[in-house]
Amino acid sequence: EKPNAFLDSLGLQTLLSFLCSADSIYRLFGAVVIGNIASDSSLHSEIFNSGTMSPLIHTTKIADKESKRCIAYTLCNLCLDNHYSNKIVLEGGLLPVLALMDSTSTEDRISSISTVRALSSKPELRQFIVESDEYYNSRPYKNRISAWASSQSQILDKRDTFLSKIKEFEKKYPDQSNV
């Protein structure tokens, strides 16, 4: 009910003007409201048909952290719709979703992982997910080293084992720009 009320009273073009504002408060307001609208799957077509996707994805490159987070959630909600998920990935919407994995919030990480898992079930999108080097290279050096050292999806026997693997990979990849 509330997503429809916002949409009826403001319209997506007005919300886009908030989203694209130089003022971070307006931008956050636009991101939150568009995110609420995207939580209603019956409104997904309206979001896509209004030309909202391109500015939404572009804004993640210049927005503050909380606006980026709201936009990433919006993209996660929109990716639930199989009809639009390919378009989101092809337009560059995967990186903001992946960026949620770096969050300290468990809820953010679960949302991101769930979305990526759903997207990876589509053979035509797997390549984009696997080749998301831009995201990987944007992560801090220690995060990239830890990703190499981690035995993904396996139980860790001792913390010391993991820490020694990190040291091994730090020696193997001393150049922080080439991990």
Side-chain angles (χ1 to χ4, degrees):
E1 184 178 309
K2 289 185 181 184
N4 273 324
F6 274 118
L7 193 56
D8 291 341
S9 64
L10 294 173
L12 279 170
Q13 293 309 311
T14 301
L15 291 170
L16 275 176
S17 67
F18 279 108
L19 181 71
C20 297
S21 171
D23 184 298
S24 62
I25 302 292
Y26 286 177
R27 189 172 35 242
L28 180 59
F29 173 76
V32 168
V33 175
I34 292 171
N36 285 333
I37 293 168
S39 70
D40 183 339
S41 61
S42 70
L43 300 173
H44 287 183
S45 62
E46 201 157 339
I47 292 171
F48 278 91
N49 295 334
S50 68
T52 303
M53 288 311 302
S54 184
L56 193 65
I57 292 168
H58 173 73
T59 301
T60 63
K61 297 173 185 171
I62 58 170
D64 57 280
K65 187 176 182 176
E66 191 57 28
S67 294
K68 287 180 185 180
R69 183 176 171 270
C70 291
I71 293 168
Y73 266 102
T74 300
L75 295 171
C76 287
N77 281 327
L78 293 170
C79 281
L80 295 174
D81 193 324
N82 283 328
H83 185 70
Y84 300 115
S85 57
N86 288 20
K87 187 173 181 175
I88 292 168
V89 172
L90 295 174
E91 286 189 26
L94 181 60
L95 291 177
V97 170
L98 289 171
L100 277 179
M101 286 188 202
D102 271 343
S103 174
T104 56
S105 162
T106 301
E107 185 179 308
D108 289 356
R109 291 192 308 266
I110 289 171
S111 182
S112 177
I113 290 166
S114 299
T115 301
V116 171
R117 288 184 86 177
L119 292 172
S120 67
S121 70
K122 301 175 85 172
E124 67 273 18
L125 296 180
R126 286 188 191 134
Q127 178 182 355
F128 289 96
I129 294 167
V130 172
E131 295 176 354
S132 58
D133 289 341
E134 185 180 343
Y135 165 72
Y136 175 79
N137 291 327
S138 74
R139 297 180 72 199
Y141 173 72
K142 290 279 189 185
N143 291 38
R144 290 180 280 144
I145 289 294
S146 296
W148 279 100
S150 172
S151 299
Q152 302 290 326
S153 302
Q154 293 182 5
I155 297 173
L156 185 64
D157 61 343
K158 291 188 285 187
R159 177 181 163 90
D160 291 340
T161 305
F162 179 58
L163 294 175
S164 85
K165 285 176 103 177
I166 288 174
K167 289 191 186 305
E168 286 176 36
F169 281 101
E170 286 175 333
K171 287 178 186 171
K172 186 174 181 175
Y173 299 105
D175 179 5
Q176 293 191 16
S177 63
N178 190 21
V179 178

